[in-house]
Amino acid sequence: PTVPIVFGVWVSVNKGRNWKYLGVLTIPVGDDESAISFRSVGSTFRFKLVSSSVVTPYHISEYSMRARKLGEELTFEAQA
């Protein structure tokens, strides 16, 4: 691309019912990757990437995430 690709990044830990804005992820011209740091707690993550950058067509072939174990997740079932 001849211009940076800019994404707004959101994360959800409750199946997309609520979204937390993480910030802007910018992939500079001449590069093919970038990173954003965030902290979120949950067992299942959904990501939303939104861009209005006018660039030649592209596809996202992979994303990676480093995760750190925080503790055991507790689940409670309703009593009948």
Side-chain angles (χ1 to χ4, degrees):
T2 57
V3 296
I5 302 174
V6 181
F7 295 97
V9 183
W10 285 262
V11 66
S12 175
V13 294
N14 60 6
K15 299 181 181 180
R17 289 187 291 270
N18 300 95
W19 293 91
K20 175 183 173 185
Y21 180 66
L22 300 178
V24 173
L25 175 71
T26 302
I27 301 175
V29 173
D31 209 344
D32 61 355
E33 62 182 44
S34 188
I36 188 168
S37 296
F38 67 94
R39 179 180 173 156
S40 196
V41 178
S43 59
T44 304
F45 291 84
R46 292 175 189 241
F47 293 96
K48 183 169 23 176
L49 301 159
V50 178
S51 178
S52 59
S53 298
V54 180
V55 297
T56 56
Y58 61 91
H59 70 274
I60 298 171
S61 59
E62 87 177 51
Y63 72 91
S64 63
M65 182 171 65
R66 279 191 236 170
R68 185 178 318 160
K69 186 174 181 176
L70 182 62
E72 298 301 319
E73 183 173 336
L74 303 175
T75 58
F76 299 96
E77 294 183 23
Q79 299 295 319

